[in-house]
């Protein structure tokens, strides 16, 4: 089986190598809008993995580290290791004061092991009493340890947990640090995927990601989908979902964030994803399904911000919901559509400062990502982020953001370079890749007859629920055909691969689940033109 798998992977590389000179570039655009036909063999619906799935089983010992993940710090010389010990509780917190320790060293180098210590936390999720759950969910103990003084582009081995305890996991895991931030140094391959969830499709996506051996993974929103379950383990039926009295949304997806949440799905997701997250730096981008409003004190994003480590402090951010980091010569900016972003907000102030301080001679590529897309022509979530676009688009355009990744919409779409709904050679390329396995595949477009949403609902989403007045929109709400800013769209599950080649060229490819390793469905070189499109400070 190993030989077959390696042969398939090598075949994929050969295809790429033999055809790379023939790929289109954004300089050939703007491309004529194209819609790929729906694969007749594809089931648009998804089915969650059951609690009996073997990958959800808990370790044999409460002291054994589980749900291990590696995340990047701001620069190459540091990463954070996170893990959980102890099973979650429904009720009072159980004592589990295991030390937060990581042993690590360079792989295959005879040096003394280094040790790093960190801290641990637990969090609670309140359950509504009307459903018979009068006690809260209490997580296992979540550990975070930062490793510092690392070498660039170097493979390290590590193990976490207190090794003096016989029940602790003795297995080694591995990660590779990012290269230095220079014009010529980039991660070899970056996987971008959104809305993975915990379905049978997610299994295919995870296999697909691992088979491509990425150096970095960016996951955009929609992780555990714990908010789609009631506290009594009942799966919410979208057809019966009702929005709250404040009208926070007009589709079912917008209603999940105001409901209760079955938190053990987070533990299942962490165990399921560990083969990836324990060995490849994985950066998390919060979306709508991570809001998980607490029943009493209106806290949000508690599970998300507790379970993962973020470089917020190092980049000067005020929150784990928005931050930035460097991956070689690429600077990544993570934003949040469900946190205030008007020009007096903390997020806006931080973003403006972060953009101003980017050194394009070290990180020429600037990539931004958040969950809710500005430019999507699918019916689901259409223009729900319009207020965010109006508030932030000029800022991102001024600083010449190169690529913007979004999720939320369960489909794939790549734009031509666009600014304010018009083709613009200096605008970013917007890529929606929210078809990572969860949700029902979005197959309807707003430009199809009868599919234009009611304009009275277009700005009712939670993302616009801040003290911000939306101005008029000058163009048509729905086009009668696929807009010229939409280059390619397709209703399929899959992942994206970004391979930055140098300071001006990056190869982007969309890889569908049904195609596995054999070929890519959409592939293009994204080309920067700094001479034509200078940054205006």
């Amino acid at each position: 089986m190993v030989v077959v798998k390696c042969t398939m992977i090598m075949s994929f590389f050969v295809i790429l190598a033999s055809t790379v000179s023939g790929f289109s570039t954004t300089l050939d655009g703007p491309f004529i809008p194209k819609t790929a036909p729906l694969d007749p063999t594809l089931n648009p619906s998804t089915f969650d993995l059951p609690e009996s799935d073997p990958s959800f089983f808990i370790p044999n010992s409460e002291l054994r580290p589980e749900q291990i993940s590696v995340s990047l710090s701001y620069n190459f010389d540091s990463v954070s290791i996170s893990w959980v010990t102890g099973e979650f509780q429904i009720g009072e917190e159980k004592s589990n004061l295991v030390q937060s320790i990581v042993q690590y060293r360079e792989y295959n180098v005879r040096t003394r092991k280094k040790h790093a210590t960190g801290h641990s936390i637990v969090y609670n999720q309140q359950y509504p009493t009307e459903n018979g759950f009068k006690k809260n969910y209490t997580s296992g103990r979540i550990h975070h340890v930062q490793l510092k003084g690392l070498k660039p582009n170097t493979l390290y081995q590590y193990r976490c947990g207190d090794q003096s305890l016989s029940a602790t996991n003795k297995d080694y895991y591995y990660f590779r640090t990012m290269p230095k931030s220079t014009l010529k140094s980039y991660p070899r391959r970056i996987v971008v995927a959104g809305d993975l969830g915990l379905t049978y499709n997610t299994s295919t996506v995870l296999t697909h990601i691992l088979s491509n051996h990425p150096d970095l993974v960016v996951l955009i929103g929609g992780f555990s989908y714990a908010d789609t379950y009631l506290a009594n383990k009942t799966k919410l039926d979208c057809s019966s979902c009702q929005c709250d009295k404040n009208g926070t949304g007009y589709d079912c997806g917008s209603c999940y964030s105001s409901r209760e949440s079955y938190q053990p799905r987070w533990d299942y997701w962490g165990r399921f994803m560990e083969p990836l997250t324990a060995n490849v730096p994985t950066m998390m981008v919060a979306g709508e399904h991570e809001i998980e409003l607490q029943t009493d004190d209106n806290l949000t994003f508690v599970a998300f911000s507790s379970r993962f480590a973020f470089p917020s402090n190092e980049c000067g951010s005020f929150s784990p919901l928005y931050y930035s980091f460097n991956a070689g010569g690429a600077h990544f900016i993570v934003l949040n559509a469900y946190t205030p972003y008007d020009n007096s907000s903390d997020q806006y102030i931080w973003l403006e400062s972060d953009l101003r301080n980017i050194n394009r001679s070290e990180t020429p590529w600037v990539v931004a990502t958040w969950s809710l897309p500005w430019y999507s022509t699918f019916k689901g979530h259409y223009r729900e982020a319009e207020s965010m676009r109006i508030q932030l688009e000029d800022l991102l355009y001024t600083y010449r953001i190169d690529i913007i990744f979004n999720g939320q919409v369960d489909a794939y779409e790549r734009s031509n370079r666009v600014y304010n709904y018009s083709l613009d050679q200096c605008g970013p390329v917007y890529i929606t890749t929210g078809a990572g396995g969860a949700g029902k595949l979005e197959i309807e477009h707003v430009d199809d007859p009868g599919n234009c949403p009611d304009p009275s609902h277009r700005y009712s989403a939670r993302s616009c629920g801040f003290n911000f007045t939306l101005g008029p929109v000058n163009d048509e709400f729905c086009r009668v055909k696929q807009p010229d800013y939409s280059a390619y769209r397709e209703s399929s599950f899959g992942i994206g691969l970004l391979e930055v080649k140098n300071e001006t060229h990056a190869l982007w490819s969309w890889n569908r689940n049904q195609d596995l390793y054999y070929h890519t469905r959409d592939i293009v070189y994204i080309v920067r033109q700094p001479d034509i499109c200078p940054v205006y400070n």
Side-chain angles (χ1 to χ4, degrees), residues 324-345:
S324 63
F325 62 93
N326 292 326
H331 183 76
F332 279 78
I333 298 173
V334 174
L335 299 177
N336 188 269
Y338 305 98
T339 302
Y341 42 69
D342 60 272
N343 59 14
S344 64
S345 67

Side-chain angles (χ1 to χ4, degrees), residues 11-44:
S11 298
F12 176 76
F13 289 146
V14 169
I15 292 172
L16 282 182
S18 62
T19 60
V20 65
S21 60
F23 293 151
S24 298
T25 79
T26 51
L27 299 181
D28 301 322
F31 300 101
I32 298 174
K34 178 181 179 181
T35 301
L38 181 67
D39 188 334
T41 65
L42 191 63
N43 186 352

